[in-house]
Amino acid sequence: MSFKLPELNYDYNALEPHIDARTMEIHHTKHHGAYTTKLNDAVMGTDLEGKTIEEILSGVSSHSAAVRNNGGGYYNHNLFWEIMGPDGGGSPGGELAAAIDKDFESFESFKEVFSNAAATRFGSGWAWLIKKSGGTLEVTSTPNQDNPLMDLAEVKGEPILGLDVWEHAYYLNYQNRRPDYISAFWNVVNWNEVEKRFQK
Ligand code: MN3
């Protein structure tokens, strides 16, 4: 068995004007496609064959750099496509809304903390909202294609929302204006999917 590049649940132009179709297509087919291919190459013939991506990431400190970079890239983009959607934006409801209010005081202050984590991540990486083992929510960020499922992450937890702040995620439309891309991201967040991950 091998890892497969997932289909998106929406068209490449479905997130416009916030994320443009060309960026989505290149990001999905070329970048995510390459992580997927290279992950399969790195795992083939090793004792990681047949393991789930979550199993691999949880012990990633003892694997190769290729497994770390491409396994992270594979998992992170799978999550990223799912937590966005054409009918996104607004704010979460139900238990997730209550948990955000409890751990960040308000949705607005959560957005500020998350946006700040995304804006200040130096170079390439990701901002995350994670559910920690005790059930509380926390914002964190990771470099490159690392993520909070990795045993070597500084802050560990189950990612329920993630934002790719590599330049390949926004440069065609936003050039160096990462903060504008971060603001636009809030218009495409699929809170139903984030809530589903929170409930798990
Ligand atoms: Mn990316």
Side-chain angles (χ1 to χ4, degrees), residues 140-167:
T140 184
S141 80
T142 52
N144 304 316
Q145 294 296 354
D146 286 358
N147 68 44
L149 290 178
M150 293 182 171
D151 58 344
L152 44 71
E154 272 175 53
V155 182
K156 289 186 248 320
E158 182 75 29
I160 66 171
L161 177 70
L163 175 57
D164 187 344
V165 295
W166 283 57
E167 282 188 344

Side-chain angles (χ1 to χ4, degrees), residues 27 31 35 77 126 145 164 166 168-169:
H27 200 173
H31 293 272
Y35 295 126
H77 291 86
W126 291 74
Q145 294 296 354
D164 187 344
W166 283 57
H168 70 225

Side-chain angles (χ1 to χ4, degrees), residues 48-126:
L48 298 178
E49 239 177 330
K51 289 198 172 174
T52 66
I53 188 63
E54 289 85 358
E55 286 168 340
I56 291 173
L57 296 179
S58 71
V60 83
S61 63
S62 45
H63 308 317
S64 66
V67 169
R68 175 177 177 177
N69 293 333
N70 297 297
Y74 176 74
Y75 175 92
N76 295 348
H77 291 86
N78 283 357
L79 176 142
F80 190 47
W81 311 134
E82 288 188 6
I83 57 86
M84 297 192 293
D87 304 314
S91 54
E95 288 175 35
L96 176 59
I100 286 175
D101 285 348
K102 181 172 151 286
D103 294 326
F104 298 95
E105 289 186 6
S106 68
F107 180 61
E108 284 310 310
S109 65
F110 154 70
K111 275 172 68 176
E112 213 178 295
V113 171
F114 185 97
S115 297
N116 190 49
T120 58
R121 165 48 57 191
F122 183 76
S124 299
W126 291 74

